[in-house]
Amino acid sequence: MQVSVAHHPPNTAVLVLRGSLDIDTAPALKANLSRLVERPAPRVVVDVSGLDFCDSMGVGVLVTAHGRAAERDGWVRLASPSGFLRRLFDTLGLSDYLPMFPDVAAALKED
């Protein structure tokens, strides 16, 4: 999996994920997200349009990061989820917990 980060004001980061998010690659994402959600009022958009696969480890990293951001009056949002990822989050009952947006621009605009 490839991860790139772009910073946007105010205190917002966009992570772009490419490849597979699974047991082997989840630790890299966790390290990146942990660093970002430790800031005061963190705002993180995770662009998942380039993910071809996501397992339970990947879901766990995203959900944990959102919870930690919320504790600091911030958020983590998913942008451009595939139909598979939307169904996965629906099945797990997480769609209402972790906000999903059609694209990065919409995720950045909503507040």
Side-chain angles (χ1 to χ4, degrees):
M1 181 186 63
Q2 296 174 338
V3 179
S4 60
V5 181
H7 294 278
H8 298 262
N11 200 28
T12 304
V14 176
L15 262 73
V16 179
L17 306 182
R18 302 277 181 251
S20 294
L21 177 52
D22 56 26
I23 192 167
D24 294 324
T25 58
L29 177 60
K30 182 178 179 181
N32 278 286
L33 280 172
S34 292
R35 186 172 31 87
L36 294 170
V37 300
E38 291 301 319
R39 303 177 304 174
R43 299 161 41 123
V44 181
V45 174
V46 182
D47 180 351
V48 294
S49 62
L51 281 186
D52 11 323
F53 179 76
C54 181
D55 70 6
S56 61
M57 291 293 290
V59 170
V61 169
L62 294 168
V63 168
T64 299
H66 176 66
R68 294 186 75 193
E71 290 170 357
R72 291 168 175 74
D73 297 320
W75 44 255
V76 172
R77 297 175 175 169
L78 299 184
S80 306
S82 66
F84 165 77
L85 203 55
R86 281 189 176 280
R87 285 188 303 278
L88 178 61
F89 274 77
D90 284 345
T91 300
L92 296 172
L94 296 170
S95 296
D96 291 334
Y97 179 71
L98 187 57
M100 294 186 215
F101 294 83
D103 54 40
V104 172
L108 288 170
K109 186 167 48 173
E110 287 290 321
D111 233 350

PDB file of all heavy atoms in Angstrom, residues 28-52:
ATOM      1  N   ALA A  28       1.461   0.567   8.831  1.00  0.00           N
ATOM      2  CA  ALA A  28       1.962   1.802   8.207  1.00  0.00           C
ATOM      3  C   ALA A  28       0.892   2.889   8.245  1.00  0.00           C
ATOM      4  O   ALA A  28       1.183   4.055   8.544  1.00  0.00           O
ATOM      5  CB  ALA A  28       2.407   1.531   6.775  1.00  0.00           C
ATOM      6  N   LEU A  29      -0.346   2.517   7.950  1.00  0.00           N
ATOM      7  CA  LEU A  29      -1.431   3.492   8.012  1.00  0.00           C
ATOM      8  C   LEU A  29      -1.647   3.951   9.451  1.00  0.00           C
ATOM      9  O   LEU A  29      -1.835   5.137   9.711  1.00  0.00           O
ATOM     10  CB  LEU A  29      -2.725   2.905   7.446  1.00  0.00           C
ATOM     11  CG  LEU A  29      -3.937   3.831   7.526  1.00  0.00           C
ATOM     12  CD1 LEU A  29      -3.698   5.120   6.755  1.00  0.00           C
ATOM     13  CD2 LEU A  29      -5.175   3.109   7.035  1.00  0.00           C
ATOM     14  N   LYS A  30      -1.590   3.016  10.387  1.00  0.00           N
ATOM     15  CA  LYS A  30      -1.772   3.359  11.798  1.00  0.00           C
ATOM     16  C   LYS A  30      -0.729   4.381  12.240  1.00  0.00           C
ATOM     17  O   LYS A  30      -1.054   5.342  12.939  1.00  0.00           O
ATOM     18  CB  LYS A  30      -1.674   2.101  12.658  1.00  0.00           C
ATOM     19  CG  LYS A  30      -1.898   2.364  14.123  1.00  0.00           C
ATOM     20  CD  LYS A  30      -1.833   1.087  14.927  1.00  0.00           C
ATOM     21  CE  LYS A  30      -2.035   1.383  16.402  1.00  0.00           C
ATOM     22  NZ  LYS A  30      -1.965   0.176  17.224  1.00  0.00           N
ATOM     23  N   ALA A  31       0.513   4.193  11.840  1.00  0.00           N
ATOM     24  CA  ALA A  31       1.580   5.130  12.210  1.00  0.00           C
ATOM     25  C   ALA A  31       1.301   6.526  11.649  1.00  0.00           C
ATOM     26  O   ALA A  31       1.443   7.527  12.361  1.00  0.00           O
ATOM     27  CB  ALA A  31       2.931   4.616  11.716  1.00  0.00           C
ATOM     28  N   ASN A  32       0.886   6.598  10.385  1.00  0.00           N
ATOM     29  CA  ASN A  32       0.577   7.888   9.773  1.00  0.00           C
ATOM     30  C   ASN A  32      -0.612   8.556  10.442  1.00  0.00           C
ATOM     31  O   ASN A  32      -0.570   9.743  10.769  1.00  0.00           O
ATOM     32  CB  ASN A  32       0.278   7.709   8.276  1.00  0.00           C
ATOM     33  CG  ASN A  32       1.528   7.643   7.452  1.00  0.00           C
ATOM     34  OD1 ASN A  32       2.187   8.644   7.225  1.00  0.00           O
ATOM     35  ND2 ASN A  32       1.872   6.451   7.006  1.00  0.00           N
ATOM     36  N   LEU A  33      -1.685   7.806  10.654  1.00  0.00           N
ATOM     37  CA  LEU A  33      -2.882   8.374  11.265  1.00  0.00           C
ATOM     38  C   LEU A  33      -2.645   8.768  12.722  1.00  0.00           C
ATOM     39  O   LEU A  33      -3.128   9.815  13.161  1.00  0.00           O
ATOM     40  CB  LEU A  33      -4.048   7.392  11.173  1.00  0.00           C
ATOM     41  CG  LEU A  33      -4.768   7.339   9.829  1.00  0.00           C
ATOM     42  CD1 LEU A  33      -5.766   6.190   9.804  1.00  0.00           C
ATOM     43  CD2 LEU A  33      -5.463   8.650   9.533  1.00  0.00           C
ATOM     44  N   SER A  34      -1.911   7.958  13.461  1.00  0.00           N
ATOM     45  CA  SER A  34      -1.649   8.266  14.868  1.00  0.00           C
ATOM     46  C   SER A  34      -0.958   9.611  15.011  1.00  0.00           C
ATOM     47  O   SER A  34      -1.308  10.415  15.881  1.00  0.00           O
ATOM     48  CB  SER A  34      -0.797   7.176  15.512  1.00  0.00           C
ATOM     49  OG  SER A  34      -1.529   5.989  15.596  1.00  0.00           O
ATOM     50  N   ARG A  35       0.007   9.847  14.154  1.00  0.00           N
ATOM     51  CA  ARG A  35       0.740  11.118  14.183  1.00  0.00           C
ATOM     52  C   ARG A  35      -0.205  12.292  13.901  1.00  0.00           C
ATOM     53  O   ARG A  35      -0.132  13.333  14.549  1.00  0.00           O
ATOM     54  CB  ARG A  35       1.858  11.053  13.137  1.00  0.00           C
ATOM     55  CG  ARG A  35       2.792  12.209  13.118  1.00  0.00           C
ATOM     56  CD  ARG A  35       3.974  11.969  12.178  1.00  0.00           C
ATOM     57  NE  ARG A  35       3.707  11.130  11.025  1.00  0.00           N
ATOM     58  CZ  ARG A  35       3.221  11.568   9.849  1.00  0.00           C
ATOM     59  NH1 ARG A  35       2.947  12.844   9.701  1.00  0.00           N
ATOM     60  NH2 ARG A  35       3.029  10.734   8.845  1.00  0.00           N
ATOM     61  N   LEU A  36      -1.120  12.109  12.976  1.00  0.00           N
ATOM     62  CA  LEU A  36      -2.025  13.191  12.593  1.00  0.00           C
ATOM     63  C   LEU A  36      -3.125  13.439  13.622  1.00  0.00           C
ATOM     64  O   LEU A  36      -3.503  14.588  13.859  1.00  0.00           O
ATOM     65  CB  LEU A  36      -2.659  12.888  11.232  1.00  0.00           C
ATOM     66  CG  LEU A  36      -1.683  12.873  10.059  1.00  0.00           C
ATOM     67  CD1 LEU A  36      -2.369  12.327   8.815  1.00  0.00           C
ATOM     68  CD2 LEU A  36      -1.118  14.262   9.806  1.00  0.00           C
ATOM     69  N   VAL A  37      -3.660  12.397  14.237  1.00  0.00           N
ATOM     70  CA  VAL A  37      -4.770  12.595  15.179  1.00  0.00           C
ATOM     71  C   VAL A  37      -4.311  13.003  16.573  1.00  0.00           C
ATOM     72  O   VAL A  37      -5.153  13.302  17.423  1.00  0.00           O
ATOM     73  CB  VAL A  37      -5.715  11.363  15.256  1.00  0.00           C
ATOM     74  CG1 VAL A  37      -6.329  11.079  13.900  1.00  0.00           C
ATOM     75  CG2 VAL A  37      -5.032  10.152  15.826  1.00  0.00           C
ATOM     76  N   GLU A  38      -3.021  13.040  16.814  1.00  0.00           N
ATOM     77  CA  GLU A  38      -2.518  13.503  18.108  1.00  0.00           C
ATOM     78  C   GLU A  38      -2.541  15.026  18.208  1.00  0.00           C
ATOM     79  O   GLU A  38      -2.395  15.581  19.290  1.00  0.00           O
ATOM     80  CB  GLU A  38      -1.090  12.996  18.341  1.00  0.00           C
ATOM     81  CG  GLU A  38      -1.000  11.497  18.551  1.00  0.00           C
ATOM     82  CD  GLU A  38      -1.816  11.009  19.746  1.00  0.00           C
ATOM     83  OE1 GLU A  38      -1.818  11.672  20.793  1.00  0.00           O
ATOM     84  OE2 GLU A  38      -2.454   9.956  19.615  1.00  0.00           O
ATOM     85  N   ARG A  39      -2.712  15.704  17.094  1.00  0.00           N
ATOM     86  CA  ARG A  39      -2.752  17.174  17.101  1.00  0.00           C
ATOM     87  C   ARG A  39      -4.059  17.654  17.734  1.00  0.00           C
ATOM     88  O   ARG A  39      -5.044  16.916  17.766  1.00  0.00           O
ATOM     89  CB  ARG A  39      -2.658  17.706  15.666  1.00  0.00           C
ATOM     90  CG  ARG A  39      -1.420  17.237  14.950  1.00  0.00           C
ATOM     91  CD  ARG A  39      -1.384  17.706  13.523  1.00  0.00           C
ATOM     92  NE  ARG A  39      -2.582  17.271  12.804  1.00  0.00           N
ATOM     93  CZ  ARG A  39      -2.883  17.623  11.569  1.00  0.00           C
ATOM     94  NH1 ARG A  39      -2.075  18.409  10.897  1.00  0.00           N
ATOM     95  NH2 ARG A  39      -3.981  17.195  10.986  1.00  0.00           N
ATOM     96  N   PRO A  40      -4.100  18.906  18.201  1.00  0.00           N
ATOM     97  CA  PRO A  40      -5.364  19.439  18.716  1.00  0.00           C
ATOM     98  C   PRO A  40      -6.373  19.587  17.566  1.00  0.00           C
ATOM     99  O   PRO A  40      -6.012  20.032  16.482  1.00  0.00           O
ATOM    100  CB  PRO A  40      -4.994  20.813  19.282  1.00  0.00           C
ATOM    101  CG  PRO A  40      -3.507  20.868  19.291  1.00  0.00           C
ATOM    102  CD  PRO A  40      -2.994  19.819  18.372  1.00  0.00           C
ATOM    103  N   ALA A  41      -7.610  19.207  17.819  1.00  0.00           N
ATOM    104  CA  ALA A  41      -8.705  19.302  16.844  1.00  0.00           C
ATOM    105  C   ALA A  41      -8.290  18.818  15.450  1.00  0.00           C
ATOM    106  O   ALA A  41      -8.406  19.540  14.474  1.00  0.00           O
ATOM    107  CB  ALA A  41      -9.233  20.732  16.785  1.00  0.00           C
ATOM    108  N   PRO A  42      -7.807  17.583  15.353  1.00  0.00           N
ATOM    109  CA  PRO A  42      -7.335  17.089  14.061  1.00  0.00           C
ATOM    110  C   PRO A  42      -8.478  16.869  13.076  1.00  0.00           C
ATOM    111  O   PRO A  42      -9.572  16.452  13.455  1.00  0.00           O
ATOM    112  CB  PRO A  42      -6.681  15.754  14.421  1.00  0.00           C
ATOM    113  CG  PRO A  42      -7.417  15.298  15.628  1.00  0.00           C
ATOM    114  CD  PRO A  42      -7.759  16.555  16.388  1.00  0.00           C
ATOM    115  N   ARG A  43      -8.219  17.182  11.828  1.00  0.00           N
ATOM    116  CA  ARG A  43      -9.175  16.961  10.749  1.00  0.00           C
ATOM    117  C   ARG A  43      -8.432  16.181   9.669  1.00  0.00           C
ATOM    118  O   ARG A  43      -7.481  16.695   9.082  1.00  0.00           O
ATOM    119  CB  ARG A  43      -9.689  18.299  10.227  1.00  0.00           C
ATOM    120  CG  ARG A  43     -10.416  19.083  11.308  1.00  0.00           C
ATOM    121  CD  ARG A  43     -10.538  20.568  11.010  1.00  0.00           C
ATOM    122  NE  ARG A  43     -10.846  20.883   9.643  1.00  0.00           N
ATOM    123  CZ  ARG A  43     -11.889  21.586   9.232  1.00  0.00           C
ATOM    124  NH1 ARG A  43     -12.744  22.052  10.124  1.00  0.00           N
ATOM    125  NH2 ARG A  43     -12.087  21.853   7.960  1.00  0.00           N
ATOM    126  N   VAL A  44      -8.874  14.954   9.437  1.00  0.00           N
ATOM    127  CA  VAL A  44      -8.175  14.072   8.502  1.00  0.00           C
ATOM    128  C   VAL A  44      -9.178  13.486   7.507  1.00  0.00           C
ATOM    129  O   VAL A  44     -10.157  12.865   7.909  1.00  0.00           O
ATOM    130  CB  VAL A  44      -7.442  12.924   9.230  1.00  0.00           C
ATOM    131  CG1 VAL A  44      -6.706  12.032   8.239  1.00  0.00           C
ATOM    132  CG2 VAL A  44      -6.490  13.469  10.288  1.00  0.00           C
ATOM    133  N   VAL A  45      -8.898  13.690   6.235  1.00  0.00           N
ATOM    134  CA  VAL A  45      -9.677  13.059   5.173  1.00  0.00           C
ATOM    135  C   VAL A  45      -8.817  11.933   4.617  1.00  0.00           C
ATOM    136  O   VAL A  45      -7.659  12.152   4.261  1.00  0.00           O
ATOM    137  CB  VAL A  45     -10.030  14.058   4.046  1.00  0.00           C
ATOM    138  CG1 VAL A  45     -10.721  13.341   2.888  1.00  0.00           C
ATOM    139  CG2 VAL A  45     -10.900  15.189   4.590  1.00  0.00           C
ATOM    140  N   VAL A  46      -9.371  10.733   4.573  1.00  0.00           N
ATOM    141  CA  VAL A  46      -8.660   9.587   4.016  1.00  0.00           C
ATOM    142  C   VAL A  46      -9.306   9.259   2.670  1.00  0.00           C
ATOM    143  O   VAL A  46     -10.448   8.817   2.609  1.00  0.00           O
ATOM    144  CB  VAL A  46      -8.716   8.362   4.959  1.00  0.00           C
ATOM    145  CG1 VAL A  46      -7.922   7.210   4.365  1.00  0.00           C
ATOM    146  CG2 VAL A  46      -8.190   8.726   6.347  1.00  0.00           C
ATOM    147  N   ASP A  47      -8.552   9.530   1.602  1.00  0.00           N
ATOM    148  CA  ASP A  47      -9.023   9.249   0.248  1.00  0.00           C
ATOM    149  C   ASP A  47      -8.785   7.768  -0.029  1.00  0.00           C
ATOM    150  O   ASP A  47      -7.652   7.333  -0.197  1.00  0.00           O
ATOM    151  CB  ASP A  47      -8.274  10.118  -0.750  1.00  0.00           C
ATOM    152  CG  ASP A  47      -8.696   9.891  -2.186  1.00  0.00           C
ATOM    153  OD1 ASP A  47      -9.464   8.940  -2.461  1.00  0.00           O
ATOM    154  OD2 ASP A  47      -8.238  10.662  -3.055  1.00  0.00           O
ATOM    155  N   VAL A  48      -9.866   6.997  -0.050  1.00  0.00           N
ATOM    156  CA  VAL A  48      -9.760   5.546  -0.224  1.00  0.00           C
ATOM    157  C   VAL A  48     -10.109   5.111  -1.651  1.00  0.00           C
ATOM    158  O   VAL A  48     -10.303   3.926  -1.904  1.00  0.00           O
ATOM    159  CB  VAL A  48     -10.640   4.797   0.813  1.00  0.00           C
ATOM    160  CG1 VAL A  48     -10.105   5.012   2.221  1.00  0.00           C
ATOM    161  CG2 VAL A  48     -12.090   5.224   0.720  1.00  0.00           C
ATOM    162  N   SER A  49     -10.156   6.057  -2.572  1.00  0.00           N
ATOM    163  CA  SER A  49     -10.523   5.731  -3.956  1.00  0.00           C
ATOM    164  C   SER A  49      -9.545   4.758  -4.602  1.00  0.00           C
ATOM    165  O   SER A  49      -9.922   4.003  -5.501  1.00  0.00           O
ATOM    166  CB  SER A  49     -10.625   6.998  -4.806  1.00  0.00           C
ATOM    167  OG  SER A  49      -9.376   7.667  -4.868  1.00  0.00           O
ATOM    168  N   GLY A  50      -8.303   4.745  -4.149  1.00  0.00           N
ATOM    169  CA  GLY A  50      -7.292   3.875  -4.732  1.00  0.00           C
ATOM    170  C   GLY A  50      -7.117   2.536  -4.030  1.00  0.00           C
ATOM    171  O   GLY A  50      -6.210   1.775  -4.363  1.00  0.00           O
ATOM    172  N   LEU A  51      -7.978   2.243  -3.054  1.00  0.00           N
ATOM    173  CA  LEU A  51      -7.875   0.950  -2.364  1.00  0.00           C
ATOM    174  C   LEU A  51      -8.532  -0.142  -3.190  1.00  0.00           C
ATOM    175  O   LEU A  51      -9.661   0.008  -3.644  1.00  0.00           O
ATOM    176  CB  LEU A  51      -8.567   0.997  -0.998  1.00  0.00           C
ATOM    177  CG  LEU A  51      -7.840   1.634   0.163  1.00  0.00           C
ATOM    178  CD1 LEU A  51      -8.631   1.451   1.441  1.00  0.00           C
ATOM    179  CD2 LEU A  51      -6.448   1.086   0.324  1.00  0.00           C
ATOM    180  N   ASP A  52      -7.816  -1.245  -3.412  1.00  0.00           N
ATOM    181  CA  ASP A  52      -8.448  -2.380  -4.094  1.00  0.00           C
ATOM    182  C   ASP A  52      -8.939  -3.417  -3.084  1.00  0.00           C
ATOM    183  O   ASP A  52      -9.683  -4.308  -3.450  1.00  0.00           O
ATOM    184  CB  ASP A  52      -7.542  -3.068  -5.117  1.00  0.00           C
ATOM    185  CG  ASP A  52      -6.100  -2.695  -5.108  1.00  0.00           C
ATOM    186  OD1 ASP A  52      -5.804  -1.548  -4.894  1.00  0.00           O
ATOM    187  OD2 ASP A  52      -5.267  -3.568  -5.354  1.00  0.00           O
TER     188      ASP A  52
END
